[in-house]
Amino acid sequence: CETCSEEEAKYRCPRCMKYSCSLLCVKKHKLALSCNGVRDKTAFVSVNEFTDLNLLSDYRFLEDVGRTADAAARHPTVHSPTTKKLLYCLRNKARRCNIDLRTLPIGFTKRRENSTTFNFMEKKFYWHLKLVFPHCHAEYTLKGVPDDKTLTDILKPYIDPVESDPVVCQRLKIYTVSPQSDVQILMKIENRKQNSIRYNELDASRSLLDNLKGKIIIEYPTLFVVLKTLKNDMVVLGQ
């Protein structure tokens, strides 16, 4: 026993791996080392010691995390009148800007992700925005994008040869080496039949708010950045 050093050890602590001989010594070691006796599921395990049991433990740990996160999203506080009031206010402000903003029920991924807000002092939206680059199989999520920012400025950190991040620029190389005139920004038209998917072409020189006017937005806008010179299956409305 590593606590009393007198009796033969019978137990091993799952947390700190200390040997104990009795319940009394177990309690003493927990008090002395501030140990809770619960196995650390995130403790480092070297590759040489990694077994199928460790893999199964990690898998179950990730499942527990997923269940906890889902339970938190469904917590009654999320359904509180305050939350509903804020959503109603957000949809109302969007309607005044000629934007049909629709929100999904609690539990949907887009509902949990959405961070769009409306600043009453500045009287403008700060959008949650997703950028999709199909030709490179890349997606980026932006938060707090002001509605008066042009699409060109929004895309600069991604596809501009000078101002873009080097790592992002390398991943989106096919876009950065192409002329800006070849870049086309599309947004899916909602509430159409599954076999009749169409996209609206947006004007890169205009603000995000101007481009969203007269359109249906489910939770937040998703913009598809494509190149005219490369073949894609996205059919623009009117073609």
Side-chain angles (χ1 to χ4, degrees), residues 143-156:
K143 295 183 178 181
V145 181
D147 61 13
D148 56 354
K149 196 171 185 179
T150 63
L151 300 188
T152 301
D153 291 336
I154 292 173
L155 291 178
K156 272 185 180 180

Side-chain angles (χ1 to χ4, degrees), residues 21-53:
C21 65
S22 62
L23 180 60
L24 181 62
C25 285
V26 169
K27 290 182 177 179
K28 283 183 179 179
H29 112 266
K30 286 183 178 180
L31 188 62
L33 301 176
S34 299
C35 177
N36 58 11
V38 179
R39 183 176 67 85
D40 185 7
K41 296 179 181 179
T42 61
F44 173 76
V45 180
S46 65
V47 176
N48 296 331
E49 299 174 354
F50 200 86
T51 64
D52 291 342
L53 288 176

